[in-house]
Amino acid sequence: MRGGRAAVFGLAILAVAATSPASAQAPADASEKEIERYRAMISDPMSNPGFLFVDRGEALWKTKRGTKNVSLEQCNLGEGPGKLEGAFAKLPRYFKDADKVLDLEQRLLWCMEKLQGFDTAGVIKNKFSGAGRSPSDMQDLTAFIANKSSGMKYQAQVSHPKEKEMVAMGEALFYFRAGQWDFSCATCHEAEGQRIRLQGLPVLGKPGKPAQATMGGWPTYRVSQSQVRTMQHRIWDCFWQMRFPAADYGADGITALSAYLVKNADGGEIQVPSIKR
Protein backbone atom coordinates (compact mmCIF):
# COMPACT_ATOMS: atom_id res chain seq x y z
CA MET A 1 0.00 0.00 0.00
CA ARG A 2 2.80 2.36 0.94
CA GLY A 3 4.47 1.73 -2.40
CA GLY A 4 1.21 2.43 -4.23
CA ARG A 5 0.69 5.68 -2.37
CA ALA A 6 4.28 6.71 -3.06
CA ALA A 7 3.79 6.04 -6.76
CA VAL A 8 0.59 8.11 -6.84
CA PHE A 9 2.30 10.89 -4.89
CA GLY A 10 5.20 10.83 -7.32
CA LEU A 11 2.84 11.13 -10.30
CA ALA A 12 1.12 14.04 -8.60
CA ILE A 13 4.44 15.84 -8.22
CA LEU A 14 5.21 15.29 -11.89
CA ALA A 15 1.78 16.63 -12.84
CA VAL A 16 2.32 19.77 -10.79
CA ALA A 17 5.77 20.24 -12.31
CA ALA A 18 4.34 19.85 -15.81
CA THR A 19 1.89 22.69 -15.20
CA SER A 20 4.30 25.03 -13.45
CA PRO A 21 4.82 28.47 -15.05
CA ALA A 22 8.28 27.55 -16.36
CA SER A 23 7.14 24.43 -18.21
CA ALA A 24 3.79 25.85 -19.28
CA GLN A 25 5.35 28.93 -20.84
CA ALA A 26 6.59 27.17 -23.99
CA PRO A 27 3.23 25.52 -24.91
CA ALA A 28 1.43 28.76 -24.12
CA ASP A 29 3.76 30.78 -26.35
CA ALA A 30 3.42 28.21 -29.12
CA SER A 31 -0.37 28.36 -28.87
CA GLU A 32 -0.33 32.14 -29.05
CA LYS A 33 1.85 32.06 -32.17
CA GLU A 34 -0.55 29.65 -33.86
CA ILE A 35 -3.50 31.84 -32.91
CA GLU A 36 -1.75 34.89 -34.36
CA ARG A 37 -1.00 32.96 -37.55
CA TYR A 38 -4.67 32.03 -37.86
CA ARG A 39 -5.75 35.63 -37.29
CA ALA A 40 -3.38 36.83 -39.99
CA MET A 41 -4.83 34.31 -42.45
CA ILE A 42 -8.37 35.68 -42.11
CA SER A 43 -7.66 39.34 -41.39
CA ASP A 44 -8.24 40.43 -44.99
CA PRO A 45 -11.67 42.08 -45.54
CA MET A 46 -12.50 39.39 -48.10
CA SER A 47 -12.05 36.61 -45.53
CA ASN A 48 -12.72 38.30 -42.16
CA PRO A 49 -16.29 37.38 -41.07
CA GLY A 50 -16.43 40.60 -39.05
CA PHE A 51 -17.01 42.57 -42.24
CA LEU A 52 -20.40 40.91 -42.67
CA PHE A 53 -21.41 42.77 -39.51
CA VAL A 54 -19.87 45.98 -40.86
CA ASP A 55 -22.01 45.68 -44.00
CA ARG A 56 -25.18 45.13 -41.99
CA GLY A 57 -24.29 48.12 -39.83
CA GLU A 58 -23.93 50.35 -42.88
CA ALA A 59 -27.39 49.33 -44.07
CA LEU A 60 -28.86 50.09 -40.63
CA TRP A 61 -27.12 53.49 -40.54
CA LYS A 62 -28.88 54.43 -43.77
CA THR A 63 -32.31 52.91 -42.99
CA LYS A 64 -35.17 55.26 -42.12
CA ARG A 65 -36.85 54.19 -38.89
CA GLY A 66 -38.81 55.46 -35.93
CA THR A 67 -41.79 57.79 -35.68
CA LYS A 68 -39.84 60.48 -37.55
CA ASN A 69 -38.94 58.08 -40.39
CA VAL A 70 -35.36 59.26 -40.72
CA SER A 71 -32.01 57.49 -40.84
CA LEU A 72 -29.06 57.86 -38.48
CA GLU A 73 -27.07 59.67 -41.15
CA GLN A 74 -27.41 62.98 -39.29
CA CYS A 75 -26.33 61.54 -35.95
CA ASN A 76 -23.46 63.59 -34.53
CA LEU A 77 -20.83 61.30 -33.04
CA GLY A 78 -18.61 64.22 -32.14
CA GLU A 79 -17.15 65.21 -35.48
CA GLY A 80 -20.32 66.73 -36.92
CA PRO A 81 -23.63 65.34 -38.19
CA GLY A 82 -23.07 62.21 -40.23
CA LYS A 83 -19.25 62.38 -40.06
CA LEU A 84 -17.87 58.97 -39.17
CA GLU A 85 -14.17 59.04 -40.06
CA GLY A 86 -12.19 59.38 -36.85
CA ALA A 87 -15.27 59.67 -34.61
CA PHE A 88 -14.75 56.34 -32.85
CA ALA A 89 -11.11 57.25 -32.12
CA LYS A 90 -12.32 60.07 -29.83
CA LEU A 91 -14.96 58.15 -27.89
CA PRO A 92 -16.06 58.17 -25.10
CA ARG A 93 -16.39 61.96 -25.05
CA TYR A 94 -18.56 64.76 -23.69
CA PHE A 95 -21.63 65.73 -25.74
CA LYS A 96 -23.09 69.13 -24.99
CA ASP A 97 -26.60 68.27 -26.23
CA ALA A 98 -26.79 65.31 -23.83
CA ASP A 99 -24.69 67.08 -21.16
CA LYS A 100 -22.79 63.90 -20.35
CA VAL A 101 -19.96 61.68 -21.47
CA LEU A 102 -21.13 58.90 -23.80
CA ASP A 103 -19.50 55.95 -25.48
CA LEU A 104 -20.48 54.92 -29.01
CA GLU A 105 -23.34 52.64 -28.04
CA GLN A 106 -24.82 55.16 -25.62
CA ARG A 107 -24.61 57.85 -28.27
CA LEU A 108 -26.32 55.64 -30.85
CA LEU A 109 -29.19 55.00 -28.43
CA TRP A 110 -29.45 58.77 -27.86
CA CYS A 111 -29.61 59.43 -31.61
CA MET A 112 -32.19 56.71 -32.15
CA GLU A 113 -34.45 58.24 -29.54
CA LYS A 114 -33.89 61.94 -30.29
CA LEU A 115 -33.40 61.94 -34.07
CA GLN A 116 -35.48 58.98 -35.16
CA GLY A 117 -38.12 58.82 -32.46
CA PHE A 118 -37.23 55.15 -32.29
CA ASP A 119 -38.30 52.90 -29.41
CA THR A 120 -34.97 51.43 -28.27
CA ALA A 121 -36.46 48.89 -25.85
CA GLY A 122 -36.25 46.11 -28.42
CA VAL A 123 -32.73 47.15 -29.44
CA ILE A 124 -31.56 47.00 -25.82
CA LYS A 125 -33.27 43.67 -25.24
CA ASN A 126 -31.39 42.22 -28.21
CA LYS A 127 -28.14 44.02 -27.37
CA PHE A 128 -25.95 40.93 -27.79
CA SER A 129 -26.50 38.45 -30.59
CA GLY A 130 -26.06 34.73 -30.15
CA ALA A 131 -27.40 31.28 -30.91
CA GLY A 132 -31.14 31.38 -31.59
CA ARG A 133 -31.28 35.18 -31.49
CA SER A 134 -31.56 37.80 -34.23
CA PRO A 135 -28.52 39.85 -35.25
CA SER A 136 -27.88 42.75 -32.86
CA ASP A 137 -28.41 46.20 -34.38
CA MET A 138 -26.00 47.69 -31.85
CA GLN A 139 -23.19 45.24 -32.63
CA ASP A 140 -23.62 45.81 -36.36
CA LEU A 141 -23.74 49.60 -36.08
CA THR A 142 -20.74 49.67 -33.75
CA ALA A 143 -18.71 47.47 -36.12
CA PHE A 144 -19.56 49.74 -39.06
CA ILE A 145 -18.76 53.01 -37.29
CA ALA A 146 -15.60 51.76 -35.55
CA ASN A 147 -14.29 50.47 -38.87
CA LYS A 148 -14.36 54.05 -40.16
CA SER A 149 -11.55 54.81 -37.69
CA SER A 150 -9.52 51.72 -38.56
CA GLY A 151 -5.90 52.65 -39.15
CA MET A 152 -6.25 55.81 -37.04
CA LYS A 153 -4.99 56.30 -33.49
CA TYR A 154 -6.94 56.70 -30.28
CA GLN A 155 -7.22 60.30 -29.10
CA ALA A 156 -8.46 60.09 -25.53
CA GLN A 157 -10.76 62.99 -24.65
CA VAL A 158 -9.89 64.34 -21.20
CA SER A 159 -10.18 68.13 -21.56
CA HIS A 160 -13.76 68.65 -20.34
CA PRO A 161 -14.34 68.43 -16.54
CA LYS A 162 -16.92 65.68 -17.04
CA GLU A 163 -14.47 63.70 -19.17
CA LYS A 164 -11.87 63.94 -16.40
CA GLU A 165 -14.49 62.89 -13.88
CA MET A 166 -15.48 59.89 -16.01
CA VAL A 167 -11.87 58.73 -16.36
CA ALA A 168 -11.37 59.03 -12.60
CA MET A 169 -14.54 57.00 -12.01
CA GLY A 170 -13.29 54.37 -14.44
CA GLU A 171 -9.97 54.10 -12.63
CA ALA A 172 -11.77 53.66 -9.30
CA LEU A 173 -13.96 50.93 -10.81
CA PHE A 174 -10.92 49.21 -12.30
CA TYR A 175 -9.51 48.66 -8.80
CA PHE A 176 -12.83 48.12 -7.00
CA ARG A 177 -13.03 44.65 -5.45
CA ALA A 178 -16.41 42.97 -5.04
CA GLY A 179 -18.43 39.88 -5.87
CA GLN A 180 -18.26 36.35 -4.49
CA TRP A 181 -14.55 36.06 -5.32
CA ASP A 182 -13.50 39.56 -4.20
CA PHE A 183 -12.16 40.29 -7.68
CA SER A 184 -11.52 43.53 -9.49
CA CYS A 185 -10.49 44.27 -13.08
CA ALA A 186 -6.97 44.71 -11.72
CA THR A 187 -6.97 41.13 -10.39
CA CYS A 188 -6.51 39.88 -13.96
CA HIS A 189 -5.14 42.95 -15.73
CA GLU A 190 -2.56 44.52 -13.43
CA ALA A 191 0.33 42.03 -13.18
CA GLU A 192 2.64 40.89 -15.96
CA GLY A 193 2.58 37.34 -17.32
CA GLN A 194 -0.87 36.24 -16.19
CA ARG A 195 -2.93 33.81 -18.27
CA ILE A 196 -6.33 32.20 -18.30
CA ARG A 197 -6.89 29.05 -20.40
CA LEU A 198 -3.51 29.68 -22.11
CA GLN A 199 -4.78 33.14 -23.11
CA GLY A 200 -2.47 35.98 -22.13
CA LEU A 201 -4.02 38.68 -19.94
CA PRO A 202 -2.80 42.15 -20.95
CA VAL A 203 -1.81 44.75 -18.40
CA LEU A 204 -4.47 47.45 -18.75
CA GLY A 205 -3.98 49.45 -15.57
CA LYS A 206 -1.28 51.69 -17.01
CA PRO A 207 -0.53 53.39 -20.34
CA GLY A 208 1.46 51.35 -22.79
CA LYS A 209 1.49 48.89 -25.66
CA PRO A 210 -0.64 46.18 -23.98
CA ALA A 211 -3.50 48.64 -23.42
CA GLN A 212 -3.06 50.08 -26.92
CA ALA A 213 -3.09 46.67 -28.60
CA THR A 214 -6.09 45.50 -26.58
CA MET A 215 -8.33 48.53 -26.98
CA GLY A 216 -7.28 48.99 -30.61
CA GLY A 217 -8.78 45.59 -31.45
CA TRP A 218 -12.34 46.17 -30.21
CA PRO A 219 -14.95 45.64 -31.56
CA THR A 220 -13.72 42.23 -32.65
CA TYR A 221 -14.94 39.09 -34.33
CA ARG A 222 -14.90 36.31 -31.73
CA VAL A 223 -14.20 33.04 -33.52
CA SER A 224 -15.40 30.96 -30.56
CA GLN A 225 -18.77 32.75 -30.63
CA SER A 226 -19.11 33.49 -34.37
CA GLN A 227 -20.12 37.04 -33.44
CA VAL A 228 -18.76 40.56 -33.40
CA ARG A 229 -18.39 41.71 -29.80
CA THR A 230 -18.09 45.27 -28.56
CA MET A 231 -16.35 46.71 -25.51
CA GLN A 232 -19.77 46.93 -23.83
CA HIS A 233 -20.05 43.16 -24.19
CA ARG A 234 -16.44 42.56 -23.11
CA ILE A 235 -16.92 44.46 -19.83
CA TRP A 236 -20.36 42.91 -19.26
CA ASP A 237 -18.82 39.45 -19.73
CA CYS A 238 -15.93 40.27 -17.39
CA PHE A 239 -18.44 41.31 -14.72
CA TRP A 240 -20.25 38.02 -15.20
CA GLN A 241 -17.04 36.02 -14.88
CA MET A 242 -16.13 37.90 -11.68
CA ARG A 243 -19.63 37.17 -10.34
CA PHE A 244 -20.50 40.85 -10.17
CA PRO A 245 -24.14 41.93 -10.56
CA ALA A 246 -25.04 42.11 -14.26
CA ALA A 247 -24.19 45.50 -15.74
CA ASP A 248 -27.04 47.36 -17.42
CA TYR A 249 -26.52 47.97 -21.11
CA GLY A 250 -25.35 51.52 -21.68
CA ALA A 251 -24.56 52.02 -17.99
CA ASP A 252 -22.35 54.97 -17.07
CA GLY A 253 -20.06 52.61 -15.16
CA ILE A 254 -19.16 50.73 -18.34
CA THR A 255 -18.56 54.02 -20.13
CA ALA A 256 -16.32 55.12 -17.25
CA LEU A 257 -14.24 51.96 -17.50
CA SER A 258 -14.01 52.41 -21.27
CA ALA A 259 -12.89 56.02 -20.84
CA TYR A 260 -10.15 54.95 -18.43
CA LEU A 261 -8.96 52.15 -20.71
CA VAL A 262 -8.97 54.42 -23.78
CA LYS A 263 -6.89 56.95 -21.83
CA ASN A 264 -4.33 54.20 -21.16
CA ALA A 265 -4.51 53.24 -24.85
CA ASP A 266 -4.06 56.82 -26.09
CA GLY A 267 -2.01 56.89 -29.28
CA GLY A 268 -2.60 53.23 -30.05
CA GLU A 269 -3.69 52.25 -33.55
CA ILE A 270 -7.24 51.04 -34.16
CA GLN A 271 -7.64 47.91 -36.29
CA VAL A 272 -11.28 46.79 -36.39
CA PRO A 273 -12.94 44.47 -36.75
CA SER A 274 -10.07 42.37 -35.48
CA ILE A 275 -10.06 38.60 -34.95
CA LYS A 276 -9.94 37.10 -31.47
CA ARG A 277 -10.39 33.69 -29.95
Side-chain angles (χ1 to χ4, degrees), residues 31-63:
S31 297
E32 191 65 30
K33 287 180 180 178
E34 286 301 306
I35 291 171
E36 287 300 325
R37 190 168 73 89
Y38 169 74
R39 289 171 181 161
M41 289 171 60
I42 60 173
S43 61
D44 185 89
M46 296 302 294
S47 54
N48 182 344
F51 282 90
L52 297 174
F53 296 78
V54 171
D55 291 343
R56 284 205 302 264
E58 182 176 11
L60 283 169
W61 178 258
K62 298 176 180 179
T63 298

Side-chain angles (χ1 to χ4, degrees), residues 165-177 184-186 256-257 260:
E165 181 183 17
M166 192 63 85
V167 170
M169 184 191 305
E171 183 175 11
L173 285 171
F174 186 83
Y175 291 99
F176 179 72
R177 303 178 72 99
S184 69
C185 300
L257 275 169
Y260 172 64

Side-chain angles (χ1 to χ4, degrees), residues 254-266:
I254 292 183
T255 300
L257 275 169
S258 296
Y260 172 64
L261 294 175
V262 167
K263 179 178 179 294
N264 288 344
D266 190 41

Side-chain angles (χ1 to χ4, degrees), residues 33-258:
K33 287 180 180 178
E34 286 301 306
I35 291 171
E36 287 300 325
R37 190 168 73 89
Y38 169 74
R39 289 171 181 161
M41 289 171 60
I42 60 173
S43 61
D44 185 89
M46 296 302 294
S47 54
N48 182 344
F51 282 90
L52 297 174
F53 296 78
V54 171
D55 291 343
R56 284 205 302 264
E58 182 176 11
L60 283 169
W61 178 258
K62 298 176 180 179
T63 298
K64 296 179 179 180
R65 300 196 295 181
T67 58
K68 299 180 182 179
N69 193 35
V70 298
S71 71
L72 286 168
E73 291 173 292
Q74 290 304 305
C75 178
N76 187 347
L77 298 176
E79 298 300 290
K83 295 182 179 180
L84 301 181
E85 285 73 14
F88 180 73
K90 297 180 182 179
L91 290 170
R93 69 186 299 168
Y94 174 76
F95 289 90
K96 186 176 181 179
D97 51 11
D99 192 28
K100 63 184 303 185
V101 175
L102 304 173
D103 72 353
L104 176 54
E105 288 159 90
Q106 282 181 313
R107 185 59 177 176
L108 284 171
L109 290 173
W110 189 93
C111 285
M112 288 177 181
E113 294 170 359
K114 303 298 183 182
L115 294 181
Q116 294 182 301
F118 189 75
D119 183 359
T120 58
V123 173
I124 294 173
K125 184 178 180 180
N126 192 45
K127 55 188 176 292
F128 305 137
S129 60
R133 296 201 299 271
S134 301
S136 165
D137 289 0
M138 298 306 293
Q139 288 176 179
D140 294 346
L141 283 165
T142 301
F144 165 62
I145 294 165
N147 176 251
K148 292 295 185 180
S149 291
S150 199
M152 301 181 185
K153 294 183 178 181
Y154 266 121
Q155 301 176 52
Q157 302 298 292
V158 292
S159 58
H160 193 278
K162 290 194 175 183
E163 292 169 344
K164 295 177 182 177
E165 181 183 17
M166 192 63 85
V167 170
M169 184 191 305
E171 183 175 11
L173 285 171
F174 186 83
Y175 291 99
F176 179 72
R177 303 178 72 99
Q180 299 173 14
W181 296 343
D182 192 34
F183 272 22
S184 69
C185 300
T187 303
C188 291
H189 295 290
E190 182 73 357
E192 301 277 357
Q194 297 199 105
R195 293 181 178 273
I196 181 170
R197 298 188 299 274
L198 292 181
Q199 186 77 17
L201 294 170
V203 175
L204 302 178
K206 60 183 180 182
K209 290 184 179 179
Q212 291 176 337
T214 298
M215 295 304 291
W218 290 86
T220 187
Y221 179 78
R222 294 294 302 272
V223 176
S224 59
Q225 301 174 20
S226 301
Q227 301 292 335
V228 159
R229 297 305 191 194
T230 67
M231 185 51 61
Q232 280 266 351
H233 182 275
R234 177 65 271 170
I235 295 175
W236 173 87
D237 193 45
C238 282
F239 278 18
W240 176 80
Q241 292 185 59
M242 292 190 293
R243 302 302 187 263
F244 277 28
D248 291 336
Y249 186 71
D252 289 341
I254 292 183
T255 300
L257 275 169
S258 296

